[in-house]
Amino acid sequence: MPQGTLAATSRYEHPTEYSAMIKHATASTFLFHRFPTEWRLGLIVHPRLGRHMVVGGHVEPDETPAAAAEREAVEESGRKVLLVPGPALGLPDGYPHRQVPAPWWITEIDVPADNHLGEPHVHVDHQYVGVAESPHQVSEPAHPFAWVAEHELDSLLMFEDTRLLARSLFPHVTAIAASDGGAQLLRMLAGTSLS
């Protein structure tokens, strides 16, 4: 490269810097419900990790990440969820295929061996925002579950990445829940940072 020239690179452009890891698709949901005085976030206590976490799990071969997010919410919390699609453009009129709700974020998370794979691997996590239709359970939750207020986040044993995203969502959840996703969310978030 000539002196003084800058080149943008990514880890994928240099095979020696990229180690092949097994990647599993996962889906998680920041599940909110509006109580009379405030929004609260639903969290489980993960049985193996002993931490407060949002609901979520692995995407099965016969489902989309959005379907997995809805299924995992019911299984782990006992509550039904209505996903709020992430900020994405809608499809044009006449487009012949069904649109799947977009996640708010897709992140890669390095994880140790777990009950799905006996070696370290990567979770490609499709992170959704959802609203519970009711604060009450419709089925028995698989894990201990509780609704927590924003001011309680600092006192909980949870992963910092989850706490950071929860803190960024709480101030916007009223507008998020009222939106229809897509273009409306893009307009709402224009010029607004979730940090």
Side-chain angles (χ1 to χ4, degrees), residues 96-129:
H97 307 292
R98 185 176 70 87
Q99 186 168 4
V100 175
W104 281 69
W105 301 282
I106 301 174
T107 59
E108 288 189 347
I109 304 166
D110 295 329
V111 295
D114 62 16
N115 59 335
H116 289 274
L117 188 64
E119 62 185 85
H121 56 287
V122 175
H123 285 172
V124 180
D125 196 31
H126 299 74
Q127 297 174 321
Y128 291 87
V129 175

Side-chain angles (χ1 to χ4, degrees), residues 68-93:
E70 291 171 338
R71 175 184 52 76
E72 290 285 351
V74 174
E75 288 177 5
E76 293 191 348
S77 76
R79 277 75 178 175
K80 291 189 79 169
V81 62
L82 174 63
L83 296 181
V84 180
L89 294 176
L91 294 170
D93 288 340

